[in-house]
Amino acid sequence: MQDVQLRSPVIRTLNGLQTFLLIVIILAPITWMVLSSFKSRVDVTRIPPAFLFTPTLDNYRELFIRSDFLHNTLNSFIVAGGSTLLGLLLAIPAAFAISWHRFTWPATVTLFARLAPGTLFLLPWFLMFSEMRLTGTHFVLILTHAVITMPVALWTLLPYFDGFPRELVESAQMDGCRSGDLLVRIVLPVIMPGVVVATILSFVFSWNYFLFALILSGNNTKTAVVASFNFIGEGVTNWGALMAAATVIALPPLILTFIIQRRLVAGLSMGAVKG
Amino acid sequence: MTAVSVRNAVKSYGMTKVIHDISLDVNPGEFLVFVGPSGCGKSTLLRMIAGLESFESGTISIDDEVVNQKPARDRDIAMVFQEYALYPHMSVEKNMGFGLKMRGVPKHQIASRVGEAARILQIEPLLARRPRELSGGQRQRVAMGRAIVRNPKVFLFDEPLSNLDAKLRIDMRTEIKRLHQQLGATMVYVTHDQVEAMTMADRIVVLNHGRIEQIGAPRDLYRNPTSRFVAGFIGSPTINFIKCSVEQGALILPSGHRMALVGASLENGAVELGIRPEHLKERQGGVAAVVELVEPLGADTLVTFRLDSTAIMARLPGDVLPRPGETLNIGFDLADALFFNPSNGQRVGPVS
């Protein structure tokens, strides 16, 4: 059916046009961001915008030499990495149990937590963590970002656990496995593609999350996303540096997305059962 | 001593009772087969023995020890699954040795036992491969090898041949039987295929709607089924059932033929006659029946007759090749006939 449609030249042209439009809409702002990051202060605010300009690394120098942005990026890695790890540690056993017992309400509860606006948590958390003198630590950011990463990991992993053949679990039980062994030695190796996807999605979501870090981080623990706002001043905005920061921030998710694409295709469970 | 003993086991899924008060014993070294149509509870019963399925009441013992509270991993049993259930990320060798590794058996012992099992099953060249690189038959061999290396008290097989093609199924059938003779181990085997049950079993348990219909040696079930269900389930091609009546010591066939019931005491009234295709013969003075369908098998010919409204199949010698529409005279010996109560399906009359 699809073949028949594709054969018509009109449909094919329209299809191509549609794809082209989408790509332009998606790529235009990203291209603009990257280009602007290499523009001088004068070029970046020129109206009408200049498409031809002399590229400069000034903005990146501003970012990494004159400000603490490298440190902020490191903070982002610590927070996103830590909260991803914590999220996975909680989500993997939870997803296994939910899937095995076909017991979905706990998963739904985590979804509510994820769908609720972050501001809902923020005020009580701020008061609570201030009392505990924990605000400004990496620990508090990792802990709060787990609210983002845990549901993401759980919901990403659930279909992988659901697709895991039950006989394999039973076979491992007969072979003498307790639940811990079962998870580590049998289930996780087989659903590794799912764990990779969950890890990357969690990392990206945590990396990009702004609100919790804005309120709960201190000067030393400020993440890159929060720090990039330093370039928006009252009245003056350092557009070049801001765009450079945005480019740096966008890089890890971009790279990880490329990795995900390949891993998604893997079909590791082939041959476990018939077929 | 019994290898496995089930006493008054009851199991339900929600409101539906799937195992109704079942009791049975498996003797040490016996090959016992659970057979029945789908949904009869045979797999559930096997899984209860394995410890993979909980149940409401009754006891299950292995080697005279009640194992109700023991998880599957502590029951010292091995199971071969229909879907093979091999670990996809491990080589054949690792798959087979995994159960021993989990039980802390030293490495050199694992290697020698895996080697031995691989030799028995002739899968030595496959040891380094992953399951996805194996054919269905090879996978099932590995699954069996995984059970063998454990040297368990009881082997459980859950329809292990159902996913294989017909030819391979027959080969593996022979192989499992040979394996049983070689190992002398206790095996409980579930199948819906009565030919598998007949060819492999020392004793067969016929299950229907979660109840035991009959337990016995294959020949027993074939000769002396206690119910219409067992008679219909065991034997291929399927037994013919003909609604007849009994009048003053004679059997009246639907065609009007009378056969004197010598030595058989049947009450007057309706009765269902069961006669196996191989017991129908072409003979003088038999019932004239019109040939409807002829299926030559070489050694035998399967001939379907139309007798009033009933289709009846006969297994006749291979050189008998009638044409559809022809009329043959067919008959049978009374000694081969089985009689059933048409209202409850229970066997009536003489039991040979």
Side-chain angles (χ1 to χ4, degrees):
Chain A
M1 171 111 169
Q2 208 175 20
D3 281 349
V4 177
Q5 283 183 352
L6 283 179
R7 239 175 269 144
S8 148
V10 180
I11 300 282
R12 251 184 14 211
T13 316
L14 283 176
N15 252 338
L17 197 69
Q18 192 180 357
T19 315
F20 176 76
L21 259 173
L22 267 175
I23 290 175
V24 167
I25 291 169
I26 292 166
L27 288 186
I30 297 173
T31 317
W32 196 246
M33 169 185 84
V34 177
L35 285 179
S36 301
S37 75
F38 291 104
K39 284 179 182 175
S40 66
R41 261 170 198 267
V42 185
D43 283 332
V44 82
T45 49
R46 187 183 298 253
I47 291 173
F51 287 96
L52 288 172
F53 57 92
T54 331
T56 166
L57 284 175
D58 272 355
N59 294 320
Y60 289 92
R61 272 183 217 112
E62 164 87 28
L63 211 56
F64 290 117
I65 300 169
R66 281 192 291 275
S67 79
D68 261 352
F69 201 72
L70 192 64
H71 183 69
N72 300 134
T73 310
L74 187 69
N75 283 338
S76 274
F77 271 107
I78 292 171
V79 171
S83 65
T84 297
L85 198 69
L86 181 62
L88 285 174
L89 280 177
L90 296 169
I92 287 172
F96 186 32
I98 287 168
S99 165
W100 183 258
H101 297 292
R102 296 179 173 135
F103 204 53
T104 46
W105 69 261
T108 314
V109 169
T110 67
L111 190 65
F112 281 138
R114 179 68 190 92
L115 291 179
T119 39
L120 196 74
F121 301 98
L122 209 55
L123 190 62
W125 272 356
F126 180 73
L127 295 173
M128 190 174 87
F129 290 125
S130 303
E131 277 303 300
M132 294 162 86
R133 295 177 190 286
L134 282 173
T135 45
T137 61
H138 283 130
F139 171 75
V140 80
L141 292 181
I142 290 172
L143 196 67
T144 51
H145 275 214
V147 170
I148 314 295
T149 60
M150 197 276 210
V152 168
L154 180 70
W155 281 87
T156 312
L157 286 169
L158 267 181
Y160 288 88
F161 278 103
D162 285 343
F164 189 84
R166 289 177 91 83
E167 307 95 72
L168 265 185
V169 173
E170 293 174 344
S171 184
Q173 285 175 338
M174 308 281 282
D175 265 343
C177 277
R178 288 164 191 283
S179 345
D181 283 323
L182 198 85
L183 190 60
V184 174
R185 290 173 192 264
I186 304 293
V187 183
L188 283 185
V190 177
I191 62 155
M192 206 26 100
V195 177
V196 171
V197 175
T199 307
I200 290 175
L201 286 182
S202 300
F203 187 91
V204 170
F205 276 92
S206 169
W207 178 271
N208 290 337
Y209 206 72
F210 174 71
L211 189 63
F212 296 166
L214 177 72
I215 307 294
L216 296 172
S217 67
N219 272 336
N220 260 328
T221 55
K222 213 171 256 178
T223 58
V225 182
V226 175
S228 65
F229 267 63
N230 286 350
F231 300 109
I232 303 173
E234 277 181 53
V236 232
T237 295
N238 187 348
W239 284 108
L242 184 61
M243 289 302 118
T247 306
V248 171
I249 290 168
L251 269 180
L254 203 68
I255 294 165
L256 290 174
T257 310
F258 275 112
I259 297 172
I260 251 189
Q261 264 191 329
R262 285 198 203 148
R263 293 302 297 237
L264 273 176
V265 192
L268 235 173
S269 77
M270 275 275 291
V273 293
K274 69 167 176 171
Chain B
M1 191 181 131
T2 56
V4 179
S5 173
V6 179
R7 286 282 160 270
N8 307 106
V10 175
K11 156 102 191 159
S12 312
Y13 286 119
M15 297 296 285
T16 326
K17 223 176 192 184
V18 290
I19 298 290
H20 298 261
D21 192 24
I22 279 184
S23 298
L24 61 88
D25 289 320
V26 189
N27 302 316
E30 187 175 33
F31 199 116
L32 188 78
V33 174
F34 295 166
V35 71
S38 60
C40 71
K42 55 190 189 297
S43 279
T44 307
L45 188 57
L46 189 82
R47 291 167 55 81
M48 282 158 62
I49 296 173
L52 298 174
E53 209 77 61
S54 61
F55 50 98
E56 281 97 77
S57 64
T59 58
I60 289 176
S61 322
I62 294 173
D63 261 4
D64 295 328
E65 182 200 351
V66 175
V67 292
N68 283 23
Q69 300 303 322
K70 272 193 174 182
R73 63 171 179 273
D74 295 329
R75 292 190 182 191
D76 196 13
I77 44 184
M79 186 152 162
V80 178
F81 294 82
Q82 179 179 352
E83 317 266 315
Y84 321 133
L86 300 177
Y87 310 125
H89 56 297
M90 294 183 194
S91 67
V92 166
E93 192 176 3
K94 291 258 167 61
N95 259 286
M96 287 168 69
F98 186 71
L100 297 178
K101 188 177 162 190
M102 292 313 292
R103 287 178 168 77
V105 176
K107 267 197 176 138
H108 63 275
Q109 258 189 50
I110 297 180
S112 77
R113 278 161 77 173
V114 168
E116 171 69 11
R119 197 185 52 74
I120 294 173
L121 292 164
Q122 296 164 341
I123 49 172
E124 284 155 305
L126 308 179
L127 283 179
R129 297 216 201 145
R130 293 283 178 96
R132 67 168 161 276
E133 298 164 330
L134 305 177
S135 69
Q138 289 171 329
R139 284 180 205 172
Q140 199 50 279
R141 256 170 226 270
V142 174
M144 274 158 48
R146 191 166 60 175
I148 292 173
V149 294
R150 292 251 321 275
N151 191 21
K153 284 181 185 151
V154 184
F155 285 83
L156 305 178
F157 293 88
D158 191 3
E159 307 219 23
L161 307 184
S162 299
N163 284 340
L164 305 179
D165 61 59
K167 165 90 176 66
L168 200 54
R169 203 178 304 161
I170 294 170
D171 293 347
M172 291 295 284
R173 202 163 81 192
T174 322
E175 194 149 342
I176 294 177
K177 197 168 178 180
R178 188 177 299 134
L179 199 67
H180 176 245
Q181 286 166 2
Q182 203 172 341
L183 301 174
T186 310
M187 296 186 175
V188 183
Y189 189 104
V190 164
T191 180
H192 62 267
D193 179 352
Q194 60 92 18
V195 179
E196 238 170 64
M198 291 292 279
T199 50
M200 299 172 87
D202 293 327
R203 282 193 306 153
I204 296 175
V205 179
V206 182
L207 290 159
N208 187 24
H209 295 306
R211 290 192 173 87
I212 294 179
E213 283 277 341
Q214 192 173 354
I215 304 182
R219 182 78 188 155
D220 270 354
L221 297 189
Y222 176 80
R223 291 299 306 181
N224 280 319
T226 55
S227 64
R228 188 186 189 278
F229 178 83
V230 175
F233 200 78
I234 301 289
S236 171
T238 315
I239 192 167
N240 300 297
F241 291 110
I242 306 168
K243 291 197 189 314
C244 302
S245 58
V246 174
E247 270 174 34
Q248 288 139 17
L251 181 72
I252 319 283
L253 296 176
S255 58
H257 275 75
R258 292 175 78 95
M259 285 179 87
L261 289 165
V262 185
S265 54
L266 287 175
E267 284 175 25
N268 286 349
V271 73
E272 196 157 23
L273 164 71
I275 184 78
R276 297 199 180 274
E278 49 273 35
H279 295 143
L280 285 172
K281 298 182 179 79
E282 207 187 343
R283 65 166 52 152
Q284 294 293 318
V287 177
V290 180
V291 175
E292 195 174 63
L293 200 69
V294 182
E295 297 165 83
L297 297 176
D300 311 302
T301 304
L302 301 181
V303 181
T304 310
F305 296 97
R306 171 96 7 219
L307 204 66
D308 299 334
S309 59
T310 344
I312 290 167
M313 187 181 268
R315 186 196 280 266
L316 299 176
D319 53 2
V320 180
L321 285 167
R323 291 179 173 284
E326 247 179 77
T327 305
L328 292 185
N329 283 317
I330 53 164
F332 58 89
D333 294 334
L334 210 51
D336 291 324
L338 305 167
F339 297 102
F340 302 97
N341 181 335
S343 53
N344 63 13
Q346 288 304 301
R347 179 87 177 272
V348 291
V351 174
S352 53

